[in-house]
Amino acid sequence: MPASQARSRARDRNNVLNRAEFLSLNQPLKGNQESRSSGRKQSGQAGAAGAQNSNPKERRQSQQLPEEDCMQLNPSFKGIAFNSLLAIDICMSKRLGVCANRASSWGGARSMINLLGITGHGIPWIAGTLICLVKSSTLAGQEVLMNLLLALLLDIMIVAGLQKLAKRKGPYDINPGLLDYLTMDTYAFPAGHASRVAMLSKFFLNHLVLAIPLRILLVLWALCVGFSRVMIGRHHITDVLSGFVFGYLQFRLVELIWMSSNTCQMLISIW
């Protein structure tokens, strides 16, 4: 037995892999394992403590960041088209705002453009409708005027509600006037003047007997009032176009809820 043990020890000494520099290849040192495992445990505990100390809002943001990055790097076709149309709308509206201030190219015509815009404001139209209603002596005239008053009030409420929802600013930083505050027309989308003149022109074309030249002038007046709001920098082009669309829809709504002559007489008697 002693001889066999001596021979095995000799073989172990002659084995190259048993040298100190090659021991790490055969089996890792226990000290290194313990140090690595302790380091991993400490880093894991530190990470867990940091995760516990971080707010839930930060964790949600960190989880959402990859998705947001993917959306920015790979935008959808609808998003690209919408942003492109929005940029074109803003650029064209700023170019057409030739009366936005006194220093603009058509700054001298700003007063005239503002006067044209007043012809499509809600307060003068409501006041004029009430005066005509008081002076009217025919049932047919009172019926038309009462429904016109209803249409004007609906226009103010609908446009004010839509503007509060959209809260879109105009292309230029222009403060609304006193009449605009009275009708709650303080935002850009949709254009209140455009919706009102579209509704009024359609109402008059349907319920008044007008000659062809007057019909053409009525339509031209509505278009001029609508786009005058772009010229003074209060609205974008899409605001005016959407105002025309909403004005037509308001006219259709008034036609659906049209008040009869008896209903109008009852309301007039109460008033």
Side-chain angles (χ1 to χ4, degrees):
M1 290 295 296
S4 63
Q5 290 180 356
R7 285 196 296 271
S8 64
R9 289 176 183 176
R11 282 197 302 270
D12 292 339
R13 284 196 300 270
N14 294 329
N15 191 1
V16 180
L17 296 177
N18 288 332
R19 295 181 182 178
E21 59 268 24
F22 295 107
L23 285 176
S24 60
L25 296 177
N26 294 333
Q27 54 183 5
L29 296 176
K30 295 182 180 180
N32 291 337
Q33 284 183 342
E34 292 177 356
S35 61
R36 289 175 184 175
S37 61
S38 62
R40 289 173 184 171
K41 289 180 181 179
Q42 291 177 358
S43 62
Q45 291 175 357
Q52 291 177 356
N53 294 330
S54 63
N55 296 326
K57 184 177 180 181
E58 295 178 356
R59 288 200 298 270
R60 288 196 299 269
Q61 289 179 354
S62 64
Q63 292 175 358
Q64 293 175 358
L65 282 177
E67 297 178 359
E68 294 176 357
D69 294 340
C70 293
M71 292 176 65
Q72 292 176 0
L73 293 174
N74 300 309
S76 62
F77 175 76
K78 292 182 180 179
I80 295 174
F82 178 76
N83 291 330
S84 301
L85 292 176
L86 186 62
I88 293 172
D89 178 36
I90 294 173
C91 180
M92 293 299 296
S93 301
K94 285 184 175 292
R95 286 180 177 272
L96 292 177
V98 292
C99 302
N101 48 56
R102 295 293 180 182
S104 301
S105 57
W106 289 15
R110 181 176 172 82
S111 300
M112 185 178 64
I113 299 299
N114 280 327
L115 183 62
L116 179 61
I118 291 176
T119 62
H121 205 281
I123 298 298
W125 277 101
I126 291 176
T129 303
L130 289 173
I131 293 172
C132 293
L133 186 60
V134 170
K135 294 185 176 182
S136 179
S137 58
T138 61
L139 296 178
Q142 291 176 355
E143 179 183 352
V144 172
L145 289 171
M146 281 295 295
N147 285 279
L148 177 60
L149 181 62
L150 174 64
L152 290 170
L153 294 176
L154 282 176
D155 173 74
I156 290 176
M157 292 187 292
I158 292 173
V159 170
L162 292 173
Q163 286 186 356
K164 290 295 183 182
L165 289 175
K167 291 185 178 181
R168 187 187 189 189
K169 298 291 186 179
Y172 292 90
D173 189 13
I174 298 176
N175 296 324
L178 177 61
L179 294 178
D180 296 328
Y181 280 111
L182 290 176
T183 56
M184 297 174 287
D185 187 10
T186 55
Y187 291 100
F189 180 87
H193 286 66
S195 67
R196 193 170 301 112
V197 295
M199 183 268 297
L200 288 172
S201 60
K202 186 63 177 174
F203 188 93
F204 291 149
L205 289 174
N206 272 42
H207 297 286
L208 296 181
V209 179
L210 299 174
I212 293 178
L214 290 177
R215 288 175 170 266
I216 296 174
L217 288 176
L218 189 61
V219 174
L220 290 176
W221 166 75
L223 293 174
C224 290
V225 170
F227 284 102
S228 69
R229 308 300 290 172
V230 180
M231 295 177 66
I232 65 171
R234 281 281 284 118
H235 297 280
H236 300 86
I237 298 175
T238 52
D239 300 334
V240 174
L241 294 178
S242 61
F244 288 150
V245 174
F246 282 116
Y248 176 78
L249 295 177
Q250 289 167 9
F251 165 76
R252 300 300 302 174
L253 177 61
V254 172
E255 291 292 309
L256 289 175
I257 60 174
W258 184 269
M259 294 185 295
S260 63
S261 179
N262 294 331
T263 305
C264 294
Q265 291 303 311
M266 181 184 66
L267 293 175
I268 291 172
S269 63
I270 294 173
W271 180 42

